[in-house]
């Protein structure tokens, strides 16, 4: 089969030039004339590719204008297509006609970088709020990120369904629970949801801008705080992109320990989610049971890695602490205990018909919708898509310890819960295998500084799904741009779709079954 | 059903009780907390948690206060959905610019005594996010704060200890 790059080179009616200084070599980057940016998207879509991310970079310090980038994924291959935009006319053809995820990516690019997607149908800001000055583009180099922004008058207009008996329910940003803030606007008729519009951006902390003022070392700590529940996967993706740029060879031992932590993070979060989904259908028993198991794992994390969520345990070049025989034994012993308890709970879950009643055929996202909307991670896998970076883009030890990817076809709340159950089982198996094959060695290797004007890319399967980091160095080898793409930036839209036709009281359940990150989305 | 009952029996009570030497820290904090809450809040301290821009790490630990190990309800600590029923706000994060107004509104809706605890290193001074166009820094920049519970994130025991300290100072 031809690669995406070969297809694009053969079929695009314009020059496709390879870009140098991009790492790793397995992820090619090519540039096209900006007028052909959308045409490239059309050809790649026809070849079966999905849009994984789209972003812009201010490259004035590198003696250019702006760059726009689109990252495509098909099976096990990534391709990044970029186009150069002149400073005085930073517009480019929108990809929204081909790919749904471009809809929010491009609104965000316009809002924060001031590049203009021609042909985009929705001019409203995204992440940026209506009370920011319109010409405030924080990701531009000319913008001083340390200054407070004044508030201006403005209004955000929500989509509206009209007709007799239709009413509106605004929810948030402060929600009725211990959760992150965001706004949901429902249009309902009787109990049925006719439309849901999400309004996110409340926890925008200016993370991408902040990266640009940090050293490469400090930035790893920031990456670990993009989404606190996914700290291992985020810091890992950041570190892998940096290590690719600097040619750092991470010792095998460290690679294995990283993977053990990644799987532990997956198990802990899935346990919490399985319990929370049950709790939302008034089966509190399960929440208390799974949270108990989760707590024991967090305590073990603290004992072994020094932090309950393993924050700052993945560091550039390796890990903060290795695993010795004594700790391996602790982990193995705990695994057996957790597994034993977990299987009992799964049996109870499986036999509970009222639970099944509420979760089956609730919040269905069909396979076709999931594909069209560009879903990733467990949401995609519950809707029949077989994708997982651990298989598609494997790094050690996943290249030697193959992962079984559970895929369900129903696309409902039950499927999303059940994918989690299967993934917990698989992660338990993986950790055992990793521990038994773990090579001895150093816990880290020195990381140099990236050369000027180079880029690094990494994709890691966090517990929600594919996390992408794209780093770019400036003229002095400093951080010029750090693009963070949490899976939530893709999957939030799936929630909007799956609740249509469901009743309003089932929204919390659907939302729980997605459990997307606000902080990771809003960066 | 039999399985559920069996599992409950097997699990037994995991809560680290106030009066048993399970985890010294928690035991002491818990006993004191319960005494103060009984005396000054008629046995029930009601908390509204507000995420004003956190990374969600602090929320995980606040959740954990409710798990069976810490079971903060045993000391009389409850979480409420509405600020109007709250005695205390537990606020996390650097305050993001986009949450500033919502945080102020929540604060204004809270009746006296309106106790406020700023949670986490971010709640203290903005943490790693600092002050910027998007982050206003610590909670005190936006609403009055009675106590800070540092940590990244503070553990459930730190949180319980922090709440106790706040209540003691206010006595
Ligand atoms: S203190 Fe740490 S865990 Fe809490 S919000 Fe800040 S970065 Fe996240």
């Amino acid at each position: 089969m031809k690669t995406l790059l070969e297809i694009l080179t053969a079929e695009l009616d314009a020059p496709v030039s390879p870009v140098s200084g991009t790492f790793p070599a397995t992820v090619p980057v090519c540039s096209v004339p900006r007028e052909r940016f959308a045409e490239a998207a059309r050809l790649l879509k026809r070849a079966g590719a999905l849009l994984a991310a789209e972003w812009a970079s201010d490259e004035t310090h590198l003696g250019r204008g702006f760059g726009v980038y689109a990252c495509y994924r098909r099976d096990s291959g990534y391709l990044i297509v970029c186009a150069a935009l002149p400073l005085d006319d930073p517009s480019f053809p929108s990809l929204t006609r081909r790919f749904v995820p471009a809809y929010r990516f491009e609104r965000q690019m316009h809002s924060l970088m001031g590049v203009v997607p021609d042909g985009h149908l929705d001019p409203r800001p995204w992440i940026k709020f209506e009370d920011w000055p319109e010409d405030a583009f924080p990701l531009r180099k000319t913008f001083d990120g340390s200054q407070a922004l004044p508030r201006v008058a403005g209004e955000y207009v929500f989509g509206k369904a009209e007709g007799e008996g239709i009413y509106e329910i605004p929810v948030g940003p402060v929600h009725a629970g211990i959760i992150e803030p965001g706004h949901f606007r429902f249009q309902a008729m009787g109990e049925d949801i006719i439309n849901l519009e999400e309004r996110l951006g409340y926890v925008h902390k200016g993370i991408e801008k902040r990266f640009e003022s940090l050293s490469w070392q400090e930035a790893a700590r920031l990456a670990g705080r993009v989404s606190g529940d996914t700290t291992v996967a985020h810091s890992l993706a950041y570190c892998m992109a940096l290590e690719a740029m600097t040619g750092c060879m991470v010792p095998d031992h460290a690679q294995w320990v990283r993977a053990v932590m990644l799987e532990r993070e997956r198990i802990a979060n899935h346990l919490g989610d399985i319990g929370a989904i049950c709790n939302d259908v008034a089966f509190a028993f399960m929440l208390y049971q799974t949270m108990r198991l989760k707590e024991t794992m967090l305590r073990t994390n603290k004992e072994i890695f020094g932090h309950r969520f393993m924050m700052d345990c993945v560091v550039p070049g390796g890990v903060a602490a290795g695993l010795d025989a004594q700790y391996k034994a602790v982990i193995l012993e705990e695994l057996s205990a957790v597994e034993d308890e977990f299987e009992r709970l799964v049996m109870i879950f499986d036999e509970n018909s009222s639970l099944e009643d509420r979760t089956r055929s609730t919040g269905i996202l069909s396979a076709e919708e999931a594909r069209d909307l560009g879903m990733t991670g467990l949401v995609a896998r519950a809707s029949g898509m077989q994708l997982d970076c651990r298989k598609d883009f494997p790094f050690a030890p996943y290249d030697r310890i193959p992962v079984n990817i559970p895929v369900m076809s129903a696309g409902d709340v039950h499927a999303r819960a059940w994918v989690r159950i299967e993934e917990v089982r698989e992660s338990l198996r993986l950790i055992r295998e990793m521990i038994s094959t773990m090579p001895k060695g150093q816990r880290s290797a020195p990381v140099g500084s990236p050369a000027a004007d180079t880029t690094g890319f990494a994709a890691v399967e966090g517990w929600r799904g594919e996390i992408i980091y794209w780093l770019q160095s400036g003229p002095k080898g400093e951080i010029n741009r750090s693009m963070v793409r949490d899976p939530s930036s893709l999957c939030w839209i799936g929630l909007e779709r799956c609740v249509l036709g469901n009743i309003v009281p089932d929204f919390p359940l659907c939302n729980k079954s997605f459990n997307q990150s606000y902080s990771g989305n809003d960066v | 059903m039999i399985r559920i009952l069996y599992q409950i029996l097997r699990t037994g009570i995991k809560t680290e009780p106030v009066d048993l030497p399970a985890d010294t820290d928690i035991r002491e904090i818990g006993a004191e907390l319960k005494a103060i809450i009984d005396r000054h809040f008629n046995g029930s301290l009601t908390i509204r948690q507000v995420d004003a821009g956190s990374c969600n790490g602090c929320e995980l630990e606040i959740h954990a206060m409710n798990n069976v190990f810490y079971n903060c309800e045993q000391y009389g600590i409850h979480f409420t959905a509405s600020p109007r029923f709250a005695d205390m706000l537990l606020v996390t994060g650097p305050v993001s610019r986009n949450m500033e107004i919502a945080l102020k509104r929540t604060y204004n809706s809270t009746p006296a005594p309106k106790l406020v605890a700023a949670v986490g290193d971010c709640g203290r001074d903005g943490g790693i996010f600092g002050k910027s166009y998007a982050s206003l820094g610590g909670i005190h920049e936006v609403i009055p704060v009675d106590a800070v519970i540092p940590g990244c994130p503070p553990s459930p025991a730190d949180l319980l200890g922090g709440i106790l300290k706040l209540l003691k100072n206010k006595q």
Side-chain angles (χ1 to χ4, degrees), chain A residues 150-151 175 202 210 228 308, chain B residues 48 55 61 96-97 100 128:
Chain A
R151 278 188 204 278
H175 294 155
Y202 287 92
R210 183 85 180 141
R308 283 163 55 90
Chain B
R48 166 73 243 203
C55 79
E61 293 296 45
S96 70
R97 180 187 194 277
E100 181 187 7
I128 193 161

Side-chain angles (χ1 to χ4, degrees), chain A residues 75-276:
Chain A
D75 303 325
S76 52
Y78 286 95
L79 172 67
I80 298 176
V81 178
C82 67
L85 313 184
L87 268 185
D88 54 355
D89 170 28
S91 64
F92 63 99
S94 166
L95 308 188
T96 44
R97 278 190 59 200
R98 307 294 163 203
F99 292 104
V100 176
Y103 176 76
R104 283 180 181 170
F105 287 146
E106 290 178 3
R107 281 173 69 190
Q108 187 165 342
M109 289 156 71
H110 183 213
S111 293
L112 302 182
M113 188 67 89
V115 293
V116 185
D118 282 335
H120 196 298
L121 295 175
D122 191 346
R124 294 175 302 167
W126 184 249
I127 307 296
K128 181 181 198 160
F129 275 13
E130 66 283 356
D131 65 359
W132 296 25
E134 217 177 306
D135 61 351
F137 300 121
L139 289 179
R140 287 195 177 178
K141 294 293 173 192
T142 47
F143 183 94
D144 177 2
S146 63
Q147 295 300 314
L149 276 180
R151 278 188 204 278
V152 300
E155 196 192 354
Y156 190 84
V157 184
F158 286 88
K160 223 180 180 92
E162 280 174 27
E164 206 178 342
I166 294 179
Y167 64 99
E168 193 171 81
I169 314 172
V171 180
V174 179
H175 294 155
I178 306 172
I179 38 173
E180 301 181 83
H183 184 89
F184 301 110
R185 189 67 63 99
F186 298 92
Q187 316 271 319
M189 172 101 142
E191 292 240 79
D192 295 342
I193 301 171
I194 295 179
N195 191 37
L196 162 63
E197 191 175 342
E198 296 157 355
R199 211 272 159 104
L200 303 171
Y202 287 92
V203 283
H204 174 65
K205 294 182 275 291
I207 291 177
E208 289 185 328
K209 184 76 173 181
R210 183 85 180 141
F211 266 110
E212 295 170 19
S213 63
L214 299 178
S215 72
W216 295 99
Q217 285 289 334
E218 289 168 325
R221 292 189 67 240
L222 183 58
R225 285 158 181 80
V226 167
S227 177
D229 50 35
T230 319
T231 175
V232 172
H234 267 278
S235 31
L236 182 53
Y238 168 82
C239 289
M240 281 170 56
L242 174 61
E243 288 149 7
M245 287 169 94
T246 54
C248 168
M249 297 299 289
V250 178
D252 278 347
H253 179 71
Q255 304 252 33
W256 259 252
V257 176
R258 285 174 166 191
V260 167
M261 293 197 285
L262 188 64
E263 298 307 326
R264 288 183 68 85
E265 180 170 88
R266 190 180 324 277
I267 297 173
N269 280 289
H270 281 356
L271 283 174
D273 280 358
I274 293 165

Side-chain angles (χ1 to χ4, degrees), chain A residues 127 129 131-132 138 143 145 147 149-151 173-181 201-207 210 221-222 225 227-229 283 285 288-289 292 295-296 299 307-309 311 341 344 347-348 351 519, chain B residues 3-4 6-8 10-11 14 16 48-51 53-57 59-64 66-70 79 81 94 96-102 106 128-135 152-153 155-156:
Chain A
I127 307 296
F129 275 13
D131 65 359
W132 296 25
F143 183 94
Q147 295 300 314
L149 276 180
R151 278 188 204 278
V174 179
H175 294 155
I178 306 172
I179 38 173
E180 301 181 83
Y202 287 92
V203 283
H204 174 65
K205 294 182 275 291
I207 291 177
R210 183 85 180 141
R221 292 189 67 240
L222 183 58
R225 285 158 181 80
S227 177
D229 50 35
F283 192 45
F285 161 83
Y288 287 102
Q289 292 283 342
R292 168 174 71 91
E295 176 70 21
T296 54
R299 289 180 173 198
H307 192 284
R308 283 163 55 90
F309 301 104
M311 266 181 182
E341 294 287 318
R344 285 170 203 280
M347 181 107 70
I348 291 169
E351 283 179 351
S519 186
Chain B
R3 273 194 225 281
I4 298 180
Y6 178 60
Q7 177 70 14
I8 291 173
R10 271 190 79 252
T11 307
K14 292 290 172 193
E16 288 161 354
R48 166 73 243 203
Q49 195 271 334
V50 185
D51 175 342
S54 117
C55 79
N56 199 30
E59 274 62 32
L60 295 180
E61 293 296 45
I62 294 174
H63 262 295
N66 276 304
N67 76 30
V68 294
F69 286 87
Y70 303 99
F79 285 85
S96 70
R97 180 187 194 277
N98 290 349
M99 269 304 285
E100 181 187 7
I101 294 171
T106 307
I128 193 161
F129 307 104
K131 271 193 187 184
S132 70
Y133 75 94
S135 159
C152 185
S155 69

Side-chain angles (χ1 to χ4, degrees), chain A residues 402-481:
Chain A
V403 185
N404 299 311
I405 313 292
V407 176
M408 313 275 296
S409 56
D412 53 9
V413 172
H414 187 268
R416 285 186 286 276
W418 202 263
V419 163
R420 287 176 167 98
I421 289 176
E422 292 294 351
E423 291 188 3
V424 169
R425 289 174 166 160
E426 179 64 4
S427 295
L428 290 166
R429 184 190 71 81
L430 287 172
I431 296 178
R432 278 208 183 94
E433 204 159 327
M434 287 165 189
I435 298 243
S436 70
T437 58
M438 188 177 285
K440 284 206 173 63
Q442 298 291 320
R443 58 168 185 78
S444 69
V447 194
S449 265
D453 200 1
T454 54
T455 63
F457 171 97
V460 166
E461 192 76 14
W463 63 272
R464 283 194 183 90
E466 169 201 59
I467 294 167
I468 295 179
Y469 272 71
W470 180 84
L471 308 174
Q472 181 179 44
S473 61
K476 295 191 212 73
E478 79 285 14
I479 302 182
N480 186 64
R481 177 88 168 88

Side-chain angles (χ1 to χ4, degrees), chain B residues 7-170:
Chain B
Q7 177 70 14
I8 291 173
L9 275 177
R10 271 190 79 252
T11 307
I13 294 174
K14 292 290 172 193
T15 306
E16 288 161 354
V18 200
D19 52 352
L20 281 181
D23 180 331
T24 328
D25 233 350
I26 291 289
R27 188 195 55 178
E28 282 167 14
I29 295 169
E32 267 193 89
L33 254 181
K34 185 159 174 15
I36 294 193
I37 292 174
D38 280 348
R39 191 152 11 103
H40 295 286
F41 294 89
N42 209 3
S44 157
L45 176 77
T46 307
I47 296 180
R48 166 73 243 203
Q49 195 271 334
V50 185
D51 175 342
S54 117
C55 79
N56 199 30
C58 284
E59 274 62 32
L60 295 180
E61 293 296 45
I62 294 174
H63 262 295
M65 278 167 64
N66 276 304
N67 76 30
V68 294
F69 286 87
Y70 303 99
N71 182 20
C72 62
E73 297 230 355
Q74 67 182 313
Y75 314 127
I77 295 178
H78 310 280
F79 285 85
T80 172
S82 169
R84 297 196 193 279
F85 308 140
D87 302 305
M88 178 188 285
L89 298 178
L90 209 51
V91 191
T92 61
V95 184
S96 70
R97 180 187 194 277
N98 290 349
M99 269 304 285
E100 181 187 7
I101 294 171
L103 175 60
K104 280 186 180 152
R105 281 192 190 150
T106 307
Y107 180 76
N108 291 336
S109 309
T110 311
K114 257 192 208 297
L115 304 173
V116 176
V119 175
D121 291 353
C122 293
R124 182 186 59 202
D125 55 18
I128 193 161
F129 307 104
K131 271 193 187 184
S132 70
Y133 75 94
S135 159
L136 307 179
I139 311 298
H140 65 277
E141 306 276 353
V142 177
I143 56 172
V145 166
D146 297 295
V148 172
I149 307 176
C152 185
S155 69
D158 296 338
L159 285 163
L160 289 168
I163 293 172
L164 173 64
K165 213 165 113 197
L166 186 159
L167 295 179
K168 272 180 159 170
N169 285 345
K170 276 280 158 181

